[in-house]
Amino acid sequence: MEHQDTKQTSMCPRLKELNDIPYLNQIIMNIKKIYLTVFSALLLIACDSDELFDSNTKKEDMTPENNEMFMLNIKYENSIYSVKCTNNEAGDLVFLDESFNDIYKNVISKNPGLTMLVLDNNTIEYFNSDKDMLKSMDFTLLSDAPEEIVNPKTRVGFTSTAGRATLWDDTGYRDRSISFDITYHNFFAWPRLSKYNNFNDKTSALKVWSFIPQNDSVTIDKGLIEYKYNIISSPYDPTLPGDTKYSTNDLRVVFMGYHNSDYSGVCFCCIPENTGQPVEFDNLKRLGWNDKISSVVLRLAIKDLYQTNY
């Protein structure tokens, strides 16, 4: 009995400790402190991460979807690609298709006279130069001529407007704009848009019209065949036909916008096909050309006179 009493006595302090309510409360309080410390640290990390974004910018605005992804049909040297694209912060095209991006980076973009012929808002064709583009279409650019070009019956002549281009400062054809017309006698070329209403690198939207009537004819003097303009560098060829009537169906209005002044750098080209119906681009960013045009050319071209002896 004496041994048993000793054992019970030795257990009493332990039982008392386990039943000590203030002691348990202290343990619970310590656990709570640890939990709150860990939670605060995690919350601080989350807050620091949010500071990577502007206070007025939602995280979802940074996703590719909000940068707009879109498809372009792209042709280059007889191959056609369907490419998913977006734009970077500079407004340049970003090709999300890895195989085409490699072709563009290592081959297409290496051409100093690279020309983009824009067929519509979803279709473009790359050429190594504006010369190659014109040659592929069998077109020759015409020069300004001292003689009147006129059909006496319909008075399609130098006083008639053959084409027009309008450039806007903002997308959706908004804000400032500049327009220029060409006739069958006088064309338009401006080497530095910085000196034309301060429009250098300002163009965000564009429309180009052709007013050339169909199924008519005009007299083209051989002096119109352009060999001095920088796009076609061949010397004058006296064997070309002169004072010959050509169908207006073979005439085209050609717009060329260049990255750089003096008609240099990458070229953006469009050619309206339908009389009175413009080719229009309400947002040039989609084509990688927002605020990138520094010099422009608007001229007439005629089919089937292109010479390859340069």
Side-chain angles (χ1 to χ4, degrees):
M1 289 295 294
E2 191 173 317
H3 175 72
Q4 290 178 353
D5 289 343
T6 305
K7 185 175 181 180
Q8 289 179 355
T9 303
S10 64
M11 292 178 62
C12 286
R14 180 62 177 165
L15 291 172
K16 182 180 180 181
E17 180 180 331
L18 292 174
N19 288 286
D20 191 345
I21 300 301
Y23 177 78
L24 292 176
N25 287 340
Q26 183 63 40
I27 293 175
I28 293 172
M29 288 297 296
N30 290 339
I31 293 173
K32 285 183 178 180
K33 287 180 181 179
I34 294 172
Y35 174 79
L36 289 174
T37 301
V38 172
F39 178 78
S40 299
L42 292 174
L43 183 62
L44 181 61
I45 292 172
C47 291
D48 289 342
S49 177
D50 285 341
E51 290 177 2
L52 294 173
F53 299 91
D54 183 83
S55 59
N56 295 320
T57 302
K58 297 180 180 179
K59 289 183 182 180
E60 55 266 27
D61 291 336
M62 304 296 289
T63 64
E65 181 179 356
N66 287 282
N67 286 339
E68 187 186 4
M69 291 189 291
F70 47 88
M71 300 299 297
L72 284 179
N73 300 313
I74 303 175
K75 184 177 180 181
Y76 179 67
E77 291 190 343
N78 299 318
S79 295
I80 300 176
Y81 308 85
S82 183
V83 183
K84 182 179 287 188
C85 306
T86 188
N87 299 101
N88 60 20
E89 292 183 0
D92 299 317
L93 278 179
V94 175
F95 303 112
L96 301 177
D97 182 287
E98 186 174 346
S99 62
F100 180 80
N101 185 61
D102 289 341
I103 294 172
Y104 183 83
K105 180 180 178 181
N106 299 316
V107 181
I108 299 176
S109 66
K110 300 297 184 182
N111 297 297
L114 181 63
T115 295
M116 174 196 287
L117 175 63
V118 185
L119 303 176
D120 56 46
N121 279 288
N122 301 304
T123 309
I124 62 177
E125 183 170 1
Y126 283 114
F127 294 89
N128 295 333
S129 68
D130 39 21
K131 295 179 184 179
D132 287 350
M133 180 200 69
L134 290 167
K135 181 179 178 180
S136 73
M137 304 173 73
D138 294 325
F139 278 134
T140 299
L141 287 177
L142 302 183
S143 67
D144 299 335
E147 298 82 16
E148 177 181 351
I149 313 166
V150 63
N151 182 327
K153 293 182 180 179
T154 59
R155 299 303 301 173
V156 175
F158 76 100
T159 58
S160 303
T161 301
R164 173 179 301 144
T166 302
L167 288 60
W168 280 268
D169 193 9
D170 203 353
T171 58
Y173 316 116
R174 297 174 297 166
D175 208 349
R176 298 185 307 138
S177 66
I178 57 173
S179 294
F180 34 87
D181 291 356
I182 60 171
T183 68
Y184 296 84
H185 179 73
N186 293 311
F187 306 144
F188 183 90
W190 201 270
R192 291 179 178 83
L193 284 178
S194 58
K195 296 184 179 180
Y196 195 102
N197 203 23
N198 194 29
F199 232 79
N200 184 64
D201 292 343
K202 296 293 185 182
T203 304
S204 297
L206 169 70
K207 289 185 181 184
V208 182
W209 289 263
S210 170
F211 301 117
I212 300 171
Q214 296 298 295
N215 304 316
D216 205 334
S217 63
V218 291
T219 299
I220 304 295
D221 183 85
K222 65 182 180 181
L224 282 170
I225 308 304
E226 175 60 84
Y227 291 106
K228 295 180 181 178
Y229 186 65
N230 69 318
I231 290 179
I232 301 175
S233 58
S234 175
Y236 176 72
D237 185 350
T239 65
L240 288 173
D243 298 328
T244 303
K245 283 189 177 181
Y246 290 92
S247 170
T248 53
N249 297 343
D250 292 331
L251 289 176
R252 296 290 188 276
V253 173
V254 179
F255 173 88
M256 294 179 174
Y258 295 85
H259 264 183
N260 303 330
S261 299
D262 299 314
Y263 322 116
S264 62
V266 182
C267 175
F268 173 104
C269 180
C270 61
I271 303 174
E273 292 290 336
N274 300 316
T275 300
Q277 182 178 338
V279 288
E280 46 190 321
F281 310 97
D282 66 339
N283 187 354
L284 287 174
K285 180 179 179 180
R286 182 182 175 87
L287 297 167
W289 276 84
N290 187 58
D291 294 342
K292 293 185 182 298
I293 296 178
S294 298
S295 54
V296 294
V297 171
L298 188 66
R299 304 174 81 84
L300 288 184
I302 191 165
K303 200 169 180 65
D304 296 328
L305 290 179
Y306 195 96
Q307 301 297 303
T308 58
N309 60 343
Y310 62 89

